[in-house]
Amino acid sequence: MLHAALTVARRLTQPAIALVMVAWPFIIWFGITHHALAWLLPVMVLLLLIRLRQARLRGGPLRLIAKGVALTGVVLCVASLVLRSHHLLLWYPVVVNTLLLGMFGASLWSSMPLVERIARLKEPDLPPAGVRYTRRVTQVWCGFFIVNGSVAAFTCGYGDTDLWTLWNGMIAYLLMGALMAGEWLVRQRVIQRDVS
């Protein structure tokens, strides 16, 4: 009975946690504009701690990223509550982009870049052309994190919560989606060329 209840709770919390991670800018915007951070932040901390625990239990190349992102959210929420400064919460996208840049960039100096590790989960015997391609994709993502993180930092410093929310809650996600779609299209062409 307890195991079934835990399974149901896990299934319910996973979508809520994913929503918190993706909707961070809108949640923070709502909390600031409606003076609701006092009750929102403890709920977010709880969900992020659950996410941190889940990330510790799973394996794979994205585990460190998931742990880092969840820990960043917890630290910023707690610091904001303790210091009573909502401005700290605006830096979440900047810290996440910096964290991702560090992880993707550092992997370029290793024997296997992060995108290659992810690709090898589906295709363990990646051909040499695929290895070169995944290295290039890792470099492109590093460029994206530099640009996105810089603009996110500008929106923090500018001090307009609506502009911050527009960039970090909408434009950045649209650009990320466009990059993913573009990369998928290029990958299909590379695969077709290698097959021909």
Side-chain angles (χ1 to χ4, degrees):
M1 184 73 173
L2 179 61
H3 179 69
L6 288 173
T7 303
V8 170
R10 200 173 300 127
R11 285 187 185 149
L12 292 175
T13 56
Q14 285 178 344
I17 293 166
L19 182 64
V20 165
M21 305 300 262
V22 172
W24 180 284
F26 296 106
I27 293 169
I28 299 307
W29 173 84
F30 178 85
I32 290 171
T33 57
H34 293 83
H35 307 289
L37 289 176
W39 65 267
L40 266 176
L41 291 182
V43 172
M44 290 173 67
V45 167
L46 177 63
L47 290 172
L48 290 166
L49 286 172
I50 294 169
R51 174 70 174 142
L52 184 60
R53 185 177 185 289
Q54 289 172 344
R56 290 178 65 196
L57 297 176
R58 66 187 266 210
L62 299 178
R63 182 180 65 140
L64 282 177
I65 293 173
K67 284 171 60 176
V69 168
L71 188 58
T72 296
V74 169
V75 168
L76 290 174
C77 286
V78 170
S80 179
L81 279 170
V82 170
L83 300 173
R84 297 176 190 228
S85 171
H86 71 268
H87 188 73
L88 292 172
L89 299 168
L90 303 180
W91 290 92
Y92 177 78
V94 178
V95 175
V96 169
N97 275 278
T98 304
L99 178 70
L100 291 170
L101 173 62
M103 290 182 178
F104 275 69
S107 76
L108 287 169
W109 301 101
S110 70
S111 60
M112 191 182 300
L114 191 56
V115 174
E116 182 182 342
R117 275 187 244 158
I118 295 167
R120 285 187 184 276
L121 293 175
K122 288 188 177 179
E123 191 176 342
D125 299 324
L126 203 61
V131 171
R132 287 189 300 275
Y133 176 75
T134 55
R135 177 168 290 277
R136 178 67 64 201
V137 172
T138 303
Q139 293 167 342
V140 169
W141 276 107
C142 286
F144 174 81
F145 296 134
I146 289 170
V147 171
N148 190 40
S150 298
V151 176
F154 169 78
T155 63
C156 290
Y158 191 71
D160 182 340
T161 309
D162 292 335
L163 175 65
W164 178 85
T165 306
L166 177 66
W167 178 266
N168 295 292
M170 186 180 297
I171 296 172
Y173 286 129
L174 291 174
L175 291 175
M176 193 180 305
L179 180 56
M180 287 178 181
E183 187 277 322
W184 183 84
L185 291 171
V186 170
R187 187 176 355 129
Q188 299 312 305
R189 292 185 66 168
V190 168
I191 290 169
Q192 287 292 341
R193 188 181 65 213
D194 289 344
V195 169
S196 301

